[in-house]
């Protein structure tokens, strides 16, 4: 075929097939679970990291400046790890227990180190 024959041929028409829109709506219970996980990660992570910072500061009273700096840095890491943990677990109960159990353990350690209740 020559180029003149190619230009004389009619162009191929492509028909557009109408697409069906898939209605993907997430159930409200799933959205509530995500909200609960976010609240647990935000406030539980804050409580856990703050309590960890206090416990570390109380544990190393001999060097207060180093203890506070170390506790603050570890508190930031702890808060990030709590966020990862809460959204990593498949079960909402496991994610909540993963925050509550360390909170209880740190509270016992805090009271054992002479913290005021």
């Amino acid at each position: 075929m020559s180029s003149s024959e190619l230009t004389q041929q009619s162009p191929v028409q492509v028909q557009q097939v109408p697409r069906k829109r898939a209605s993907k709506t997430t159930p409200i219970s799933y959205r509530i679970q995500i909200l609960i996980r976010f609240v647990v990660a935000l406030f539980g992570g804050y409580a856990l990291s703050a309590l960890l910072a206090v416990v570390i500061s109380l544990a190393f009273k001999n060097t207060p400046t180093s203890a506070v700096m170390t506790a603050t840095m570890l508190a930031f890491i702890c808060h990030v790890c709590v966020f990862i943990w809460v959204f990593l677990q498949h079960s909402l109960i496991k994610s909540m227990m993963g925050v509550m159990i360390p909170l209880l353990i740190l509270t016992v350690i805090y009271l054992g180190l002479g913290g005021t209740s």
Side-chain angles (χ1 to χ4, degrees):
M1 288 179 132
S2 67
S3 62
S4 63
E5 290 177 352
L6 286 176
T7 56
Q8 291 176 357
Q9 290 180 353
S10 65
V12 177
Q13 293 184 0
V14 177
Q15 285 186 333
Q16 299 231 348
V17 178
R19 291 184 180 179
K20 292 183 181 179
R21 286 199 167 175
S23 62
K24 292 184 178 180
T25 58
T26 56
I28 193 74
S29 62
Y30 179 74
R31 292 180 184 201
I32 290 173
Q33 281 186 3
I34 296 297
L35 178 68
I36 292 171
R37 285 178 191 258
F38 183 76
V39 168
V40 167
L42 186 67
F43 294 113
Y46 176 77
L48 188 63
S49 61
L51 192 57
L52 179 68
V54 170
V55 166
I56 290 173
S57 295
L58 283 176
F60 299 105
K61 288 182 183 178
N62 297 337
T63 57
T65 307
S66 296
V68 170
M69 290 298 291
T70 303
T72 304
M73 287 187 268
L74 287 176
F76 283 118
I77 293 171
C78 175
H79 201 181
V80 170
C81 289
V82 167
F83 254 93
I84 293 170
W85 168 262
V86 167
F87 285 100
L88 185 69
Q89 294 301 314
H90 291 288
S91 170
L92 182 62
I93 300 297
K94 280 184 183 179
S95 64
M96 290 176 74
M97 288 297 118
V99 175
M100 298 302 166
I101 291 172
L103 267 173
L104 291 174
I105 292 170
L106 282 175
T107 303
V108 169
I109 293 171
Y110 171 72
L111 294 174
L113 288 173
T116 58
S117 57

